[in-house]
């Protein structure tokens, strides 16, 4: 099978002095990890794409493991653009995140853009201990400006204390099951995103399901977590909707 195979790894651990150490910061091929200036107890890492992709046939993975007492924020330097490759194979991108009790992870990458002719499967798997904290943002944009999208399949799965509290899939673009662009799914919009917030205090003070904006809603999960889902005409308005949702939830 052609294509590039690469796995980048991050381990964050409490350093015993109120800060966060990164004993593992392992880049691989096009997945380059760079530590940036943190604040307080939080360590910050930036994912920098060292080449175009993922292309057809590529197999990318990023792993982050946050230990107890550690605080980690991960972002990316630019949007990820799924592009067609020289082979007819699909591309695959997997994100694997684990957070221990009293650990905290903010996973905030830039959007994923599905370019015309691409074929990408994205899977994000998150495992949290009962006392872990998480803010996870995913944004997917179907096509560049004035461009039809490629085929994009995404799955987001979350376990808390070993229990599945979320496992959802979405397929969009040419070759996806019919109805993806209809009123029950994207309703003609070209950007879709979600926020997952997990906080131990939600077990005592659960959030209620409600509409946050015209095309955004919050849904409590079967655990100390909530899911915010939003659609928008473009990536800029999607980011604005998700930022407003996060600010509102932080103020509750």
């Amino acid at each position: 099978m052609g294509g590039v195979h690469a796995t980048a790894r991050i381990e964050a651990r409490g350093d015993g002095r109120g800060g966060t150490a990164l004993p593992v910061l392992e880049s691989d091929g096009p997945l380059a990890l760079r530590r940036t200036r943190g604040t307080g107890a939080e360590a910050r890492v930036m994912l920098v794409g060292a080449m175009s992709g993922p292309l057809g046939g590529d197999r990318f993975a990023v792993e982050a493991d946050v230990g107890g007492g550690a605080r980690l924020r991960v972002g990316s330097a630019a949007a990820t653009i799924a592009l067609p490759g020289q082979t007819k194979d699909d591309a695959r991108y997997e994100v694997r995140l684990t957070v221990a009790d009293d650990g905290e992870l903010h996973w905030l990458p830039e959007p994923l853009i599905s370019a015309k002719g691409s074929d990408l499967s994205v899977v994000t798997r998150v495992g949290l201990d009962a006392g872990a904290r998480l803010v996870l943002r995913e944004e997917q944009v179907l096509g560049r400006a004035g461009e039809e999208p490629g085929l994009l399949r995404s799955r987001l799965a979350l376990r808390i204390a070993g229990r599945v509290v979320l496992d959802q899939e979405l397929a969009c673009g040419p070759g996806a099951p019919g109805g993806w662009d209809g009123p029950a799914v994207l309703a003609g919009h070209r950007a879709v995103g979600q926020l997952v917030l997990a906080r131990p205090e939600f077990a005592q003070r659960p959030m209620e399901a409600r509409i946050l904006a015209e095309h955004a809603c919050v849904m409590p999960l079967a655990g100390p977590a909530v899911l915010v889902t939003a659609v928008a005409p473009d990536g800029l308005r999607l980011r604005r909707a998700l930022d407003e949702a996060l600010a509102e939830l932080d103020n509750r």
Side-chain angles (χ1 to χ4, degrees), residues 6-10 60-65 93-98 105 107 123-127:
T7 300
R9 297 181 175 88
I10 308 169
F60 292 173
V62 181
E63 300 175 352
D65 179 28
Y93 200 130
E94 187 165 358
V95 176
R96 299 184 284 266
L97 311 174
T98 54
L105 172 63
W107 187 264
V123 178
T124 301
R125 303 181 190 275
V126 186

Side-chain angles (χ1 to χ4, degrees), residues 161-184:
R163 179 186 180 190
V164 177
V165 300
L166 176 67
D167 195 338
Q168 68 175 24
E169 296 186 55
L170 177 65
C172 302
W180 66 269
D181 201 24

